[in-house]
Amino acid sequence: MTGDTMRILHVLNHTNRLNGHVHAAVDLACAQREAGHAVAIASGGGDFDTLLTSAGVETMVLDHRRRPAVLAASALALHRLIRRWRPDVVHAHMMTSAVLAWPGCRVAGIPLITTVHNAFQKSAVLMGLGTRVIAVSAAVGASMQARGIPASRLDVVLNGTIGSIRQRGRERVPVTLDRPVILFVGGLHPRKGLPDLLEGFDIAWARHPEARLCIVGDGPFAAEYRAMAGRLACARAVTFAGAQADPFGWMLGADIFVLPSHADPAPLVLPEAREAGCAVIGTDVDGIPQLLGDGRAGIIVPPRDPQAIARALCDLLGAPETLHRWRANSQADIANLTIARVMHETSDVYARALADRGRPLGAIVM
């Protein structure tokens, strides 16, 4: 390490779009490179490799397929990469990445930083292999402590994406939609709670038939959710737009953004919805309240409660001044959701890990 510059090696399973942990890792790596650090990503490769290369981030292929022979070969390959590239820190973003990186870091005496992006997975405890463990929200930090990760090795760095390199040059043109529009952006699988929104919207639509619901995203339950919407009285007011490479234009064209998740450690979609100026409704789970300023920047409702979603929608749809106020509220302390803040706080974690280098790892509860 020379002066304040570092050599940082990120390890993650792939660099494809439409995965929140990938977006977070790519944003961080590019911000670190812009700050003058030498940065590389070892992964299975994917959509963002061209962007990473253009930003000056080195990309290296590391197979993450969960087959014993493949993992053994990849762990050895990563060990050799660490010896050759000589990073100051290695930063692993998923469980397999942490397992692959741990032996090489131990042998080389290099701190391993892990970020817990998906605390709802049982295997997230493997992130405790890190010298220091980053939780993407306070709720994730509490969850990891409950699983046996010592508080002394945990740091909370709240997710933020505003100002990231992925967003530069994007057209800030709203998608033209029939208004008022309620928007959902996310994967179409049970954890995101879309059926709760469909039922809640159906209730609200009975009082406000001018309202429209637009669903952006795709996933394994897409056909089931389309069929579910088709059986509701509000069916003609619901549009499934499919996956979009950049849903920000849809957010700019929407009035209300709803995230009805049952579990969501710190969804990056919320900073973007707030940046777009939507009034935001989110469930009281995991990192969602923290990303909504604990209710100052968005309306928080109980999870799995379509009636509560309906009441919040009706409050906004029935009173233009209330809708306007919550759209303005979405901007409260929005500077806290920038990638610059994430990068600086992560640098502080690296500094603590380097200061602690050589101290034995605490026991890991498996």
Side-chain angles (χ1 to χ4, degrees), residues 15-82:
T15 56
N16 288 317
R17 295 182 185 274
L18 305 178
N19 287 94
H21 76 279
V22 172
H23 294 183
V26 167
D27 290 349
L28 176 60
C30 291
Q32 290 169 333
R33 182 69 190 96
E34 286 190 331
H37 303 293
V39 185
I41 287 185
S43 78
D47 304 325
F48 284 121
D49 283 356
T50 300
L51 173 64
L52 289 164
T53 300
S54 68
V57 177
E58 294 184 54
T59 59
M60 306 156 179
V61 176
L62 186 69
D63 197 334
H64 277 64
R65 287 176 296 167
R66 294 185 179 182
R67 300 175 185 171
V70 170
L71 293 177
S74 293
L76 180 59
L78 184 54
H79 171 63
R80 291 170 175 163
L81 173 58
I82 289 170

Side-chain angles (χ1 to χ4, degrees), residues 55-183:
V57 177
E58 294 184 54
T59 59
M60 306 156 179
V61 176
L62 186 69
D63 197 334
H64 277 64
R65 287 176 296 167
R66 294 185 179 182
R67 300 175 185 171
V70 170
L71 293 177
S74 293
L76 180 59
L78 184 54
H79 171 63
R80 291 170 175 163
L81 173 58
I82 289 170
R83 291 183 61 186
R84 182 177 74 252
W85 202 76
R86 301 178 64 83
D88 295 300
V89 297
V90 175
H91 192 155
H93 292 268
M94 293 299 284
M95 282 69 78
T96 302
S97 304
V99 171
L100 291 176
W102 184 76
C105 288
R106 290 285 284 180
V107 170
I110 295 171
L112 172 62
I113 311 300
T114 58
T115 292
V116 183
H117 294 280
N118 296 328
F120 52 83
Q121 295 179 336
K122 291 182 180 180
S123 57
V125 72
L126 291 171
M127 303 310 273
L129 291 168
T131 309
R132 298 203 69 84
V133 180
I134 295 175
V136 294
S137 66
V140 170
S143 173
M144 297 311 293
Q145 284 191 56
R147 299 185 196 192
I149 308 300
S152 61
R153 292 200 290 115
L154 270 168
D155 297 278
V156 175
V157 179
L158 181 66
N159 269 349
T161 190
I162 296 174
S164 73
I165 192 170
R166 289 183 301 107
Q167 300 175 353
R168 293 177 199 164
R170 68 178 7 165
E171 292 188 12
R172 301 181 69 91
V173 178
V175 172
T176 302
L177 303 167
D178 292 334
R179 313 213 18 206
V181 178
I182 296 130
L183 179 68

Side-chain angles (χ1 to χ4, degrees), residues 178 197-206 208-209 211-215 225-241:
D178 292 334
L197 174 55
L198 289 171
E199 185 177 340
F201 176 71
D202 193 50
I203 297 168
W205 181 83
H208 300 279
R212 298 292 181 266
L213 173 62
C214 183
I215 297 161
Y225 293 161
R226 286 174 182 268
M228 184 183 303
R231 294 191 293 268
L232 298 173
C234 65
R236 64 180 177 83
V238 179
T239 298
F240 284 81

